[in-house]
Amino acid sequence: MHGVCFMIEVNNIRTSFSTGFIRRRVVRAVDGVSFQVEEDETLGLVGESGCGKTTLGRSILRLIEPDEGRVVVNGTDITALSRSDLRRFRPRMQMIFQDAYASLNPRMRVRESVAEPLKIHRMGDRAAIDRRVRELVEEVGLNEEHLNRRPYELSGGQNQRVVLARVLALRPEFIVADEPTSALDVSVQAQILNLIRDLGQEYHMSCLYISHDLGVIRAISNRVAVMLEGRIVEIGKTADVLDRPSHPYTRRLVAVPVRETPEPLESPVFPAAPAMVEERPGHWVEETTA
Amino acid sequence: MNAALLEVRGLKVGFPTPDGLVRASDTVDLELYHREILGLIGETGSGKTVLGMAILRLLQPNTVIEGEIRYRGRDLLSLPEDEMRKVRGREIGVVLQNSGTSLNPVYTVGDQIAEAATLHQGLKGSEARHRAVELLDAVRIPDPAVMAREYPHRFSGGMRERALIAMALACSPSLLIADEPTKGLDAVTKREIIDLFAEVNRDRSVLFITHDIEAAATLATRVAVMYAGEIVEIGAAGEVLSDPAHPYTRGLLASLPERGMRPIPGSAPSLITPPPGCRFSPRCATKDCKSEHPGLVEVGPGHYARCMLYDRG
């Protein structure tokens, strides 16, 4: 498309879960989502809880298998990869989760946690791994004395730094960050966000940044996608979408005080996804009937 | 100014540990007036929750507590336990942190709300259940009669928060202590909870504990900022949050994504051996005050800050 090389191309991803034992019900959590992320770009993904943000993030990395759709990462169609090929591809795409404490093995010291991905993917001998671990720990703003600590001896922010070091160890091209700062205090959040932004540039990572905090999204992402009931309803440049929202839902999301109680969402009915219209260059909105 | 509903005087709370006494709250003075929402903000570990739990006397028995907590003139700290039980829930309601774990998973939400009404107001079975439905309706749970018979896992995060608010309000307490009621909620749900909070607490005093500065700005009439167990700034919400006097408050506001996202360097100090002098001095860019410990000084009408910039002995 116009000669732009997309790092990540997500094409018509659908993921559903079935619930219920006797009366099976199918919930379609992600309902036909397509977008691209360019090299070095951070795409923010916003929406309220239950809209499918996390499922989308996981589906893209095949941590949950999507029902259909295609994900192309730097030319490789990862949806077509076999399990073993996918495993070999894993270092190139990584995920950061919301709860850093739960992401780390409680029995491992920082040194072991950060070395683990390097060992699994056989990136160097013991001495090289040890050197790299020290380098990484410093890069994320920790120091020597933290190397022998375990997760319970670190604060939430420090644990998130360890997680970041583990992710960077593999030099991924693409990361999905799922609310990595929502459990942190604002001043710690600012430290971690700055770190993610700076290291993202240094390591040339493309990033899908999932958050429900519009302030965070504004600070960290180049473009933003707004998700509602499993679909992206609006996508474009961050300032453009947040300052001049077009879709009624985005307007509600960015409105300062919402006084009226919104109607409870109806039980899942799945009409055909409306088409996306390019309203302004690079700013797409789902077509509304109104 | 009307008389204070709650007065905290020289409150010190310490937790004995093998490494020494953790001074989670150090000489806190605070008044809460009738029908005021006081926002208590500060970072994790600054002592916000401990202060709330100390007022309710819900801290573990080996906790070292000094000072006075006067509610309607009575010192809660010297009250016998059976008297205190009548205060909790009936006089002082509480919405605890973590709506997910505050509800009992094996009882229906309605039964849990009815429990308060049964215990404190002596309502019987169907009356209490009826009251629970009324309360769920008041906090805008759709289909309250049906939802009262559901178990907590059927409730979303926002609905659980509403249920907890309903539970806290079951006996119409004069004081409500709410600990991080907007934590973990998405932007839209958070705004709904804040709106609901403002509405149901019109005639009540609320101690609103939060690290969400936006929520405090929307809801609170006054704001107290805690750092390392001390109140470092207190005053009218608009004033403290738009024209902060203490360097820590300024740093906290500057670290918000929408205000530049500049973090405060360093991290919070140990509460076992707090830094000498001003506790914020190791991280403070404005002034280096290792030798003097500043007191709370009035910097504007009803606006106090604990900083050597203003404390001239």
Side-chain angles (χ1 to χ4, degrees):
Chain A
M1 257 191 264
H2 312 297
V4 181
C5 164
F6 292 117
M7 177 69 214
I8 316 296
E9 276 188 72
V10 174
N11 220 319
N12 207 21
I13 284 282
R14 280 175 212 274
T15 307
S16 53
F17 299 109
S18 48
T19 60
F21 181 62
I22 297 179
R23 242 188 297 162
R24 288 191 84 64
R25 273 192 324 134
V26 174
V27 177
R28 204 177 279 164
V30 177
D31 191 19
V33 167
S34 306
F35 61 85
Q36 294 94 15
V37 188
E38 288 170 37
E39 200 177 320
D40 286 341
E41 184 189 41
T42 297
L43 174 68
L45 181 63
V46 295
E48 50 196 299
S49 27
C51 74
K53 306 189 291 293
T54 296
T55 306
L56 175 61
R58 289 179 182 221
S59 301
I60 293 170
L61 298 186
R62 282 184 66 189
L63 296 177
I64 299 171
E65 290 291 342
D67 303 338
E68 53 182 280
R70 234 159 54 101
V71 180
V72 181
V73 177
N74 222 352
T76 310
D77 181 355
I78 63 155
T79 31
L81 293 181
S82 70
R83 256 174 195 285
S84 57
D85 285 341
L86 180 64
R87 183 181 284 239
R88 272 192 286 281
F89 196 83
R90 279 265 175 246
R92 299 174 61 180
M93 46 178 206
Q94 288 287 309
M95 183 142 182
I96 304 176
F97 298 95
Q98 177 175 3
D99 188 345
Y101 185 74
S103 307
L104 294 169
N105 186 331
R107 298 173 57 169
M108 279 190 188
R109 297 174 192 278
V110 169
R111 177 198 301 282
E112 297 156 326
S113 266
V114 179
E116 193 186 26
L118 294 166
K119 283 182 184 153
I120 290 174
H121 294 287
R122 302 211 174 81
M123 292 174 150
D125 57 20
R126 257 180 77 172
I129 287 181
D130 194 57
R131 248 194 333 270
R132 182 83 180 113
V133 167
R134 282 164 194 278
E135 226 175 80
L136 284 162
V137 163
E138 202 161 302
E139 264 183 276
V140 297
L142 299 172
N143 55 46
E144 291 277 308
E145 66 174 285
H146 296 113
L147 282 173
N148 287 321
R149 303 257 189 100
R150 294 195 170 91
Y152 69 87
E153 296 170 304
L154 296 171
S155 67
Q158 286 170 331
N159 276 322
Q160 202 56 280
R161 286 174 195 269
V162 177
V163 168
L164 208 55
R166 271 165 65 91
V167 165
L168 293 175
L170 301 168
R171 301 185 179 279
E173 295 149 34
F174 176 48
I175 56 170
V176 173
D178 190 0
E179 308 250 21
T181 65
S182 67
L184 304 175
D185 286 316
V186 284
S187 73
V188 181
Q189 166 173 285
Q191 292 171 0
I192 299 290
L193 283 175
N194 282 321
L195 193 63
I196 292 178
R197 195 168 55 185
D198 297 347
L199 292 171
Q201 275 160 13
E202 206 182 306
Y203 279 75
H204 295 293
M205 289 186 297
S206 303
C207 178
L208 178 68
Y209 195 100
I210 303 172
S211 179
H212 60 241
D213 187 326
L214 296 175
V216 168
I217 289 292
R218 208 184 266 276
I220 201 156
S221 55
N222 310 98
R223 284 190 305 139
V224 62
V226 181
M227 202 164 172
L228 171 68
E229 293 173 70
R231 289 201 307 268
I232 287 178
V233 295
E234 184 159 2
I235 183 168
K237 289 220 161 53
T238 306
D240 200 22
V241 171
L242 298 183
D243 295 334
R244 294 165 66 200
S246 296
H247 195 276
Y249 177 72
T250 318
R251 279 193 216 132
R252 212 182 93 197
L253 208 61
V254 300
V256 185
V258 177
R259 284 295 156 191
E260 89 270 34
T261 315
E263 290 290 302
L265 296 177
E266 283 176 28
S267 56
V269 255
F270 297 106
M276 298 283 280
V277 185
E278 187 165 16
E279 212 188 58
R280 294 188 284 279
H283 185 153
W284 296 76
V285 184
E286 191 174 79
E287 209 170 32
T288 40
T289 41
Chain B
M1 185 61 82
N2 55 7
L5 177 70
L6 181 83
E7 269 179 278
V8 177
R9 289 280 163 259
L11 183 72
K12 294 185 183 195
V13 179
F15 300 108
T17 68
D19 300 325
L21 195 67
V22 175
R23 294 165 208 278
S25 167
D26 205 349
T27 329
V28 167
D29 291 291
L30 196 69
E31 292 94 33
L32 192 60
Y33 298 102
H34 289 278
R35 292 178 193 155
E36 112 170 309
I37 298 188
L38 176 65
L40 187 59
I41 62 178
E43 294 174 85
T44 314
S46 60
K48 309 183 296 288
T49 299
V50 166
L51 178 58
M53 293 303 103
I55 294 167
L56 288 158
R57 277 180 47 192
L58 288 176
L59 296 168
Q60 61 206 62
N62 69 344
T63 312
V64 182
I65 305 177
E66 278 173 52
E68 267 180 33
I69 299 173
R70 305 193 80 84
Y71 172 79
R72 292 188 190 279
R74 281 198 296 175
D75 185 11
L76 295 182
L77 291 179
S78 56
L79 229 50
E81 181 54 32
D82 58 335
E83 286 292 313
M84 191 63 210
R85 289 189 73 142
K86 290 181 195 154
V87 173
R88 280 188 214 117
R90 183 189 293 177
E91 297 275 349
I92 308 180
V94 63
V95 177
L96 294 171
Q97 228 178 95
N98 275 334
S99 59
T101 50
S102 296
L103 291 164
N104 188 331
V106 300
Y107 289 96
T108 63
V109 172
D111 281 352
Q112 296 183 59
I113 296 173
E115 191 186 357
T118 316
L119 279 176
H120 289 297
Q121 297 173 326
L123 297 185
K124 296 277 178 301
S126 67
E127 280 170 1
R129 275 196 295 278
H130 183 73
R131 175 86 179 125
V133 173
E134 246 174 49
L135 284 160
L136 283 174
D137 191 38
V139 296
R140 305 239 190 76
I141 295 275
D143 245 333
V146 177
M147 292 313 284
R149 289 194 298 271
E150 292 283 7
Y151 290 87
H153 75 270
R154 300 273 295 162
F155 281 54
S156 68
M159 284 164 77
R160 276 185 209 146
E161 208 55 68
R162 285 167 196 270
L164 284 179
I165 294 171
M167 203 182 286
L169 299 182
C171 306
S172 310
S174 336
L175 170 61
L176 179 68
I177 296 177
D179 196 355
E180 302 270 16
T182 60
K183 196 177 187 176
L185 302 177
D186 64 65
V188 174
T189 316
K190 193 161 89 182
R191 250 178 262 137
E192 287 166 20
I193 294 291
I194 290 174
D195 285 350
L196 174 72
F197 227 84
E199 191 192 309
V200 297
N201 292 313
R202 231 164 247 156
D203 301 320
R204 207 181 319 275
S205 306
V206 181
L207 181 63
F208 182 66
I209 302 171
T210 186
H211 67 242
D212 186 334
I213 293 162
E214 193 198 335
T218 323
L219 206 51
T221 32
R222 282 194 308 146
V223 159
V225 183
M226 274 191 100
Y227 182 77
E230 292 182 322
I231 289 182
V232 295
E233 183 161 3
I234 183 165
E239 213 170 308
V240 172
L241 298 176
S242 62
D243 188 16
H246 198 283
Y248 173 67
T249 317
R250 286 187 205 146
L252 202 60
L253 293 172
S255 61
L256 289 171
E258 52 274 29
R259 296 211 200 172
M261 213 166 78
R262 291 180 301 276
I264 307 170
S267 53
S270 151
L271 295 178
I272 296 175
T273 46
C278 171
R279 293 192 174 173
F280 186 60
S281 66
R283 303 173 74 185
C284 184
T286 317
K287 224 167 175 307
D288 188 24
C289 319
K290 283 195 187 63
S291 48
E292 303 132 300
H293 184 258
L296 272 176
V297 175
E298 189 157 15
V299 293
H303 183 176
Y304 297 81
R306 188 186 293 280
C307 178
M308 293 311 292
L309 286 175
Y310 316 103
D311 192 354
R312 309 197 197 279

